[in-house]
Structures are given as C-alpha cells and as structure tokens.
Amino acid sequence: MADVTREMSSEQRLQSYYREMLPFALRPLWLDYKELLPPQPKSKAIPYRWSWRDIRPQMMRAGELVSTEEAERRVLMLMNPGLNGLQAITSTLYAGIQLVLPGEIARAHRHSPAALRFIIEATGGYTTVDGERIPMLPGDLVLTPNWTWHDHGNEADTPIIWLDGLDIPLARALESMFFELFGDDAQPLTKPSDSSFFQYGAGGLRPAWQKHSASYSPLLHYPWPQTRATLERLAATTAGGPHDGVILEYTNPVTGGPVMPTMACFAQVLRPGQRTKAHRHTSSAAYHVVEGSGFSMVDGERLEWDAKDVFAVPAWAVHHHENNSSQDAYLFSFTDVPVLAALDLLREAPAA
Ligand code: 1HN
C-alpha cells in the first residue's frame, strides 16, 4: 500500500483519499465551500407568470373530470418551472387555484401548514374555520391558519374559484407536516357567521373582553371592498413608498404584525403610468392581479400581467412593477417575510 501511494501524483492521492472516506459518510468541506457559501442568494425558482386565460379553462376541465370527494381538494398547483417538480411557486411558498362547483363541499380537515385564500370568482360560497362560517366573495382574503379545521362549500349557482397560498415547501423542509380529517364532511357551526370580522374587522377596535393569544390573526376575513377603498383613497394623495407604491399589509389587529407566523399578505395599487423603483429582498412572493394590467421586470424577465394572472418573484430577484395602462392596477401578494425576519435573514437592497 505504501509503495503504491509513493507512485501516485498528489492529485491521485487526494482523489483516493476522498474515495476512502466515502463509506464513513464523510466529505471534505473544501470541495463544496463555494457551492455552500455563494456571495449572495441565487434562487432556483424562476420569474414566471401564469395567465388566467390558460388557468381557467384547465380549472373548469377539472370540474368536469374529478369531484371534490375524489380529489379531496380540486386544485391546480402553480408549479414554478425552475423547481424541478417541487409543489411550489417559489422555494418557500405554495400556490394553487381551487374550484368548488355549486352544491359541492370540500370536506373538513386540518394540517400544520398554514393557508390563505384569495377569492377570484364567486357569487356565494364559504369556508368554515374552527366552527365559524366565513363568506367568500371576489377579492376577499380568508385565513385558515396552522391546525385550524376548515371545510369549503358552495351554496350559490355559480362556481367559486380562489387562489390558495400555503407555506408547504417550508413546512416540508422543516419536516413538520401533520394532517388530519375531521370525520364528517362539514364541521358543526359553533360560532356566529363571520364573527371574527364583526369582532376585529372594524379597524382600530377590538373586543376588550377577549384575550387572543394565538400566533395568528384573530381576524380571519378581510373583505375586499374596504381594502380597495383604502387603497383608492391613499392613491389619490400619495405615491406611497419608492419600491411598492401604495401598499397595505393585512395585519393581525391585536399585534399589528403579519396575519400568520409564516406568511404576510399585501394589497397594492399602481396608478396609470406608475413605475416603482427596482429592488430585491431575500423574501419571495406570489402575486395575483386583482384588477388592471401592466408588467413587472423580474431579474431581466418581462412578466406581462392582466387581471387574475398570478406571477412569482423569487428570493433576491431584482424587480419593479409598472402600470402601462390607463386604469388603476390592484395587486394582491403573499410572502415569507415573517419567517426571514424572525430568523434574521431578511435583507433588502435597491437594484445594484
Ligand atoms: C388544502 O388543505 C387546501 O383546504 C388547499 O382547501 C390546498 C394544498 C396542499 C395541501 C393542503 C384546502 C392545499 C391543501
């Protein structure tokens, strides 16, 4: 053995040393150093836009082909093409489009990932969250936080379609996934309908006799009309911030913080001709176009968007938004900001 080693070049000796340690599940850090510690983030997720023109017919086809019973949830997932089949719109966030047809129920269950619903088309439909029925109308945001029971139903005569946002890729990376069926299709209604909104939705007022200590917002329903009216009022008098214009965060009314510990939600308006300044941040985001049209430049990709489209802005991608139309544009977005902030990993920088 000693003789053989003496005849080997130093490179060969190294290679043989690396092979030698393989069975011991060891590997030299110096081989992976650059891959492990790049100077700055480079997301595997790519900037991408899903057109409502493509999504909607595919979604309606699902309505013909599979029932809610068969599917558990009738959802088309928005698969980021950079993520190799990972069920994710960015590396940390999941997004999907869900359809519930008239008369259908998506049965009650709960899971450790947190979820949000942003309603796209509806004339009547509901999600019941921990015994409270929450009505769903276009533009509404409905929360189903970590481990809350939820079932969906449609009592109207038109389909209900919404955007699902979940922290699934994150929960999966942390290997903390739990799931449970309720048993019955629908949970019993144990609270007045929409009571979280009546208790906490007035803005600046909260029931003084209630002690809310959960990590998520006690307000589970953010109806669109008041969000839109607030944006419209603000846009009339201010251009808002440099990078996102007039943007509002949906808050936990008790803490003023994000709606859930893993995801933050935002609504913003871009006036005709408005162009935001480019920046980047370590949080990633999924955007949904509530109204209007325009485009976003994301790491050099021009993502043209129209009403009801969805687009992804990966972590650390330089981006700005532009409304090149003659109407106001309203965007809803959800991000992983609270996670990055809690872990001291949130960074933001103007475009280089
Ligand atoms: C889920 O429970 C729902 O309850 C929607 O509507 C989408 C995606 C992954 C895992 C669970 C729902 C989901 C989901």
Side-chain angles (χ1 to χ4, degrees):
M1 183 66 188
D3 286 339
V4 178
T5 315
R6 213 174 304 125
E7 284 159 26
M8 285 168 28
S9 69
S10 65
E11 177 57 28
Q12 282 171 321
R13 259 198 304 276
L14 270 174
Q15 291 306 327
S16 129
Y17 165 58
Y18 297 158
R19 269 195 305 279
E20 216 174 280
M21 69 173 82
L22 275 174
F24 310 123
L26 296 170
R27 183 172 165 83
L29 169 62
W30 60 89
L31 296 181
D32 294 347
Y33 208 65
K34 289 211 166 90
E35 181 191 333
L36 279 178
L37 283 177
Q40 51 178 4
K42 180 72 196 93
S43 181
K44 286 198 182 67
I46 63 167
Y48 199 77
R49 188 236 32 225
W50 289 259
S51 173
W52 188 246
R53 222 175 315 132
D54 302 328
I55 297 172
R56 196 180 191 283
Q58 295 300 327
M59 187 77 261
M60 296 317 289
R61 276 283 278 160
E64 294 161 15
L65 295 172
V66 284
S67 66
T68 46
E69 297 92 74
E70 288 168 306
E72 183 73 23
R73 295 298 191 253
R74 189 194 287 114
V75 175
L76 296 183
M77 301 186 288
L78 305 180
M79 304 284 284
N80 189 294
L83 293 177
N84 248 312
L86 185 74
Q87 298 88 340
I89 188 163
T90 70
S91 298
T92 53
L93 302 171
Y94 161 104
I97 303 293
Q98 182 161 176
L99 167 66
V100 181
L101 292 170
E104 282 186 329
I105 285 182
R107 67 180 170 169
H109 70 202
R110 63 178 174 179
H111 36 69
S112 48
L116 61 90
R117 330 277 164 192
F118 191 89
I119 321 311
I120 302 172
E121 292 183 9
T123 53
Y126 64 85
T127 290
T128 304
V129 184
D130 278 349
E132 172 185 337
R133 183 171 281 203
I134 301 170
M136 296 166 110
L137 287 170
D140 289 5
L141 172 67
V142 174
L143 308 180
T144 59
N146 181 326
W147 213 235
T148 54
W149 293 111
H150 54 284
D151 50 275
H152 314 295
N154 184 356
E155 291 172 330
D157 54 10
T158 63
I160 174 163
I161 308 180
W162 66 76
L163 172 74
D164 284 317
L166 289 94
D167 55 11
I168 286 222
L170 202 57
R172 209 167 154 181
L174 297 171
E175 299 187 325
S176 47
M177 207 76 83
F178 294 88
F179 173 84
E180 197 169 54
L181 283 174
F182 183 75
D184 297 327
D185 279 359
Q187 336 163 36
L189 304 179
T190 57
K191 297 170 189 162
S193 188
D194 215 14
S195 54
S196 88
F197 179 70
F198 294 126
Q199 293 184 350
Y200 290 95
L205 295 168
R206 70 183 177 96
W209 74 93
Q210 295 259 18
K211 185 161 166 51
H212 182 85
S213 53
S215 63
Y216 53 82
S217 170
L219 177 58
L220 301 171
H221 181 202
Y222 301 75
W224 180 244
Q226 65 181 43
T227 308
R228 193 189 188 285
T230 308
L231 287 170
E232 197 173 19
R233 219 161 30 232
L234 286 171
T237 58
T238 173
H243 300 114
D244 278 296
V246 172
I247 185 163
L248 298 170
E249 180 172 1
Y250 293 82
T251 60
N252 173 333
V254 172
T255 63
V259 289
M260 296 186 286
T262 52
M263 292 185 288
C265 295
F266 301 87
Q268 70 195 96
V269 59
L270 299 167
R271 308 303 306 275
Q274 189 172 354
R275 179 203 162 127
T276 62
K277 285 197 164 49
H279 73 155
R280 56 168 80 185
H281 33 68
T282 52
S283 55
S284 64
Y287 286 80
H288 165 71
V289 184
V290 189
E291 265 182 65
S293 62
F295 68 93
S296 300
M297 292 298 300
V298 186
D299 266 354
E301 288 283 322
R302 185 180 166 114
L303 305 179
E304 300 271 359
W305 40 258
D306 227 318
K308 302 183 181 178
D309 291 354
V310 181
F311 61 97
V313 176
W316 209 240
V318 175
H319 61 282
H320 83 265
H321 310 296
E322 193 162 335
N323 178 354
N324 56 351
S325 80
S326 55
Q327 315 267 299
D328 287 341
Y330 290 85
L331 302 177
F332 167 79
S333 57
F334 64 97
T335 79
D336 55 359
V337 161
V339 177
L340 290 149
L343 303 180
D344 243 357
L345 293 169
L346 187 61
R347 284 206 203 191
E348 194 253 347

